[in-house]
Amino acid sequence: MTKKPEDIILIGGGLTAKCLALMLSHSGYSYRWLGLPKGAARRDSRTTSIHHAGMKMLSALGVWDNMSEPACSIHTIAVAKGGPPHKTGQKDWPLRWYNDTPAMAHIVRNTVLSDALDAVYRGPAPLEVDITSFDRTGDITRLTDANGTDYHCHLAVACDGSASTIRSLARLKAVPFSVKQTALVSLLTTDRPLHQTAYQRFLSGGPLAIMPTADYEGSLVWSMPDEAAHKLAEAGAAAVSAALQTSFGDGLGRITISDDVLLWPLKPAFMPMITAPGLILAGDAAHALHPLAGMGFNLALADIAELADCLKTARSRGLSAGHLSIQQSYTAKRRAEIISLTAVTQSVNWLFSQPDGLLSSLTELGFVGLGALPLKNKLKQIAMGGQLSRPTLFSGIMPF
Ligand SMILES: Cc1cc2nc3c(=O)[nH]c(=O)nc-3n(C[C@H](O)[C@H](O)[C@H](O)COP(=O)(O)OP(=O)(O)OC[C@H]3O[C@@H](n4cnc5c(N)ncnc54)[C@H](O)[C@@H]3O)c2cc1C
């Protein structure tokens, strides 16, 4: 006899999959979790900025209070175009966003967030399998692994990252943007306090961001052309500290790299379709953004929170998890935010990464435009979350 299909099968093993599994464990739906066989995990010293609405969601799910170290709140975001000013008296950081209460965002270490998600999760553990085929017949999705074992469900949710295998198996397209940039990632210490401020300099090779993790400690994400990133990383931590000091300036006193320097190739892409019959994409599988806005995981949180609302509504109407209305409603709720953030991050990165001289007046105009009051206020609201997407969990309320 064929085994009864699960309501939902979740595929993936990153932060999105962990958070989705936690949401499903509260939902009342039956589900199974499929992850890849565990290889050597890549060291992840990155931090993630989580916006205010995302913090409320993680609090409702019990994650926020279970983190082994508190998040560092950001109250100011300071942005500049180009390197530090050469002339005395010239103003640095001409663009600033400030919010006292609530904080604009919170910086957490990825490892701390991942451990907290593991600590509060009480559902089935991921099965280690390699899915090699996807098929939808009637209202059943069938996933088959490399050993020929089938897994049946009404709805599959793929959170298997920007190079998603499930997305390819279901023939959903990804349109890559060729940015040819790699992010240099590390931790650093400073001589002067960061004052709960996130800094971003738009340099001609790519954006340089320093996020505070404590008074005199921060994390670095420095995007630059691939070759330059590899060369600088190979030169070692002291060379990165020196280059950083020159490019960032002396505003934070002496800056010293305090951890390994890691490289993250950047592969932003746009997915025109984020659902197919019996399949929903979430997290980087559905939208791979340039990290300059620190929004990739915040979008993933919105995916999960909107899906929770869709599932809740379907259940109250007596519909199965694979009902077409869930995919339609999920697409409708996610489309605007994904398209706008993809467009903004791509165009800002392109415009501000042009070599000096080329398009300089357009770049100047773009930068001045960002500071125009109505747009500036709107950007602040978007940065704090819950503007382009307003699911129940973003208000700190569990929908189930
Ligand atoms: C340098 C950098 C800085 C960033 N900073 C921020 C920030 O400050 N704020 C923010 O919101 N976002 C930020 N982001 C984006 C954020 O890190 C990502 O959006 C987020 O980690 C995506 O998580 P994910 O689980 O969707 O994908 P991934 O982290 O890619 O995880 C995918 C998972 O799926 C597993 N997998 C792959 N294939 C399969 C398969 N076939 N079957 C089963 N499992 C599979 C993988 O093993 C992996 O565990 C940053 C990104 C970068 C590169």
Side-chain angles (χ1 to χ4, degrees), residues 11-18 34-37 44 46-51 107 110 129-131 159-166 183-185 211 220-221 223 264-266 282-291 293-300:
I11 308 109
L15 290 175
T16 307
K18 288 185 178 197
L34 308 181
L36 273 184
D44 190 355
R46 289 176 303 168
T47 58
T48 293
S49 67
I50 300 205
H51 58 36
I107 305 294
N110 286 16
V129 295
D130 188 5
I131 297 299
C159 317
D160 51 347
S162 56
S164 170
T165 304
I166 309 299
L184 230 115
V185 172
M211 267 83 60
L220 170 75
V221 178
S223 309
W264 291 82
L266 301 180
D284 278 15
H287 37 72
L289 293 192
H290 193 288
M295 276 296 188
F297 184 61
N298 287 301
L299 278 190

